[in-house]
Amino acid sequence: MVIIAHYPPQVLNAYSTVPLTQSIIDTTQHGFYDGTSARFGNPEVVVTIHNRTDFHGLSHYGLRVALDTEGALSPFVVLDDTTPELDAVWYVETTAKSQYLDSVVDDVVTYPYENFTIWQIHIRVPDLPITQMAWSVGAGSLSESVPSPYDPHDPQPNIFHYYHYPQGPELLNWTDPNQFVWGGYLRVTANWSEVMWSNDPNITKWFGPAHPPVMVSLTDEAARANGFLRYFNSADKIAPPGKVVDLGAKCDWDSPRWPKGYPDNPGVVSRAMPGEKARYVDSGERQNIRRTESKERHVQAQIEKNGLRLIPLRRANSKTPAIEAAAEVVDAENGR
């Protein structure tokens, strides 16, 4: 059985400076749903919208101070009456991070009636989750993304949006697999009989000089049955027959397993198959998975670009599994 690895999502809290409307709620929830590929059941970031009428009319600085007083020190999202029209929200940093940036970044406009400079960015809703995740691993930062000189009261009419080569500066459509090329990748475990192995040099070469000896993917049958496409993973060796294999899988956007549209509650969505149990991984394993998948996605793109196909290795003979499996690994390491 192919089992998806589930990660507890990060939660961003959102507060509105105006009375909440359905359009504000829908714009925010649907934007996060698309931007985290929640359609595939494993969003990395979800948003919780709080209906705090005592926050209506407060400035962003006032919100930060009020939340700090309550002990809510994390970054948060600000919604207002322009959110539906602009498809944008404000992301407000922690006070500690703001004070640090205020002290190390040049060209900052300060106001004497504020005890610190609040650091925030006006950002397109579906772009916020992946942007925050990128910043959390050092791929860019808020201070590098806001206008310079930085003025905390700047309305930032040029709304920040995330883009990725080769799409360039155009807005990404997070529901289009031809644009959102790295969307819908999940980590799974599969039975040995549900995977296939290959040492095709036309494919392994895309991993660079230190290319892996073998690669592994779900079989076509297992992939189709579980809503995935074939996806190439690096491997050090062929797992012994009978073992469970951990690997990445690329969702098939057209599979009925991943229904289109928005559910009634676009928060955490379960897409488990009947009888499937959740497997949770910790943050350390998740970071390793991200680094590995980044390279594997590059390889997948090169494979598709060059029209390559996977040449499977022979499956181990069930009567002599140790000998057959060992022979295949040797062949892979020698490039034969």
Side-chain angles (χ1 to χ4, degrees), residues 9-14 24-39 42-49 76-79 83 87-91 123-133 174 180 262 266-269:
Q10 179 181 350
V11 179
L12 269 178
N13 294 302
I24 292 176
I25 294 171
D26 288 347
T27 298
T28 307
Q29 289 187 327
H30 294 172
F32 270 77
Y33 185 83
D34 291 339
T36 59
S37 296
R39 172 187 173 192
N42 211 5
E44 295 199 50
V45 183
V46 295
V47 62
T48 298
I49 301 174
F76 64 89
V77 176
V78 180
L79 317 175
T83 295
D87 193 23
V89 294
W90 288 87
Y91 174 80
I123 185 170
R124 185 171 171 248
V125 182
D127 295 345
L128 174 54
I130 196 168
T131 299
Q132 187 195 36
M133 288 186 285
W174 298 88
F180 189 21
Y262 302 107
V268 181
V269 180

Side-chain angles (χ1 to χ4, degrees), residues 176-226:
D176 182 355
N178 295 318
Q179 290 190 38
F180 189 21
V181 293
W182 66 97
Y185 287 85
L186 300 177
R187 206 72 191 173
V188 303
T189 54
N191 294 330
W192 198 86
S193 60
E194 296 173 310
V195 301
M196 61 187 302
W197 309 85
S198 173
N199 64 348
D200 183 353
N202 288 323
I203 297 175
T204 57
K205 70 179 182 181
W206 293 110
F207 283 87
H211 62 78
V214 291
M215 291 171 303
V216 61
S217 71
L218 292 173
T219 64
D220 288 338
E221 296 80 6
R224 281 196 300 268
N226 290 276

Side-chain angles (χ1 to χ4, degrees), residues 21 35 44 46 61 76 100 120 126 133 143 153 155 161-162 165 170 173 191 227 229 237 267-268:
T21 63
E44 295 199 50
V46 295
Y61 178 86
F76 64 89
Y100 167 74
Q120 59 184 350
M133 288 186 285
S143 60
H153 293 180
H161 66 274
Y162 187 92
Y165 180 83
E170 297 300 320
N173 180 352
N191 294 330
L229 301 170
K237 60 182 179 180
V268 181

Side-chain angles (χ1 to χ4, degrees), residues 10-13 15 50 52 55 63-77 91-99 116 118-119 132:
Q10 179 181 350
V11 179
L12 269 178
N13 294 302
Y15 306 91
H50 299 266
R52 293 283 299 266
F55 284 177
L63 283 173
R64 180 74 276 174
V65 172
L67 289 168
D68 286 352
T69 302
E70 296 177 2
L73 307 180
S74 300
F76 64 89
V77 176
Y91 174 80
V92 180
E93 258 296 359
T94 65
T95 298
K97 184 67 175 292
S98 292
Q99 290 174 329
F116 62 94
I118 187 172
W119 281 77
Q132 187 195 36

Side-chain angles (χ1 to χ4, degrees), residues 17 87 101 105 111 115 127 131 153 167 181 209 218 253 264 281-282 292:
T17 57
D87 193 23
L101 291 172
V105 178
Y111 294 84
N115 293 329
D127 295 345
T131 299
H153 293 180
Q167 285 75 29
V181 293
L218 292 173
W253 290 57
D264 293 335
V281 302
D282 60 28
T292 301

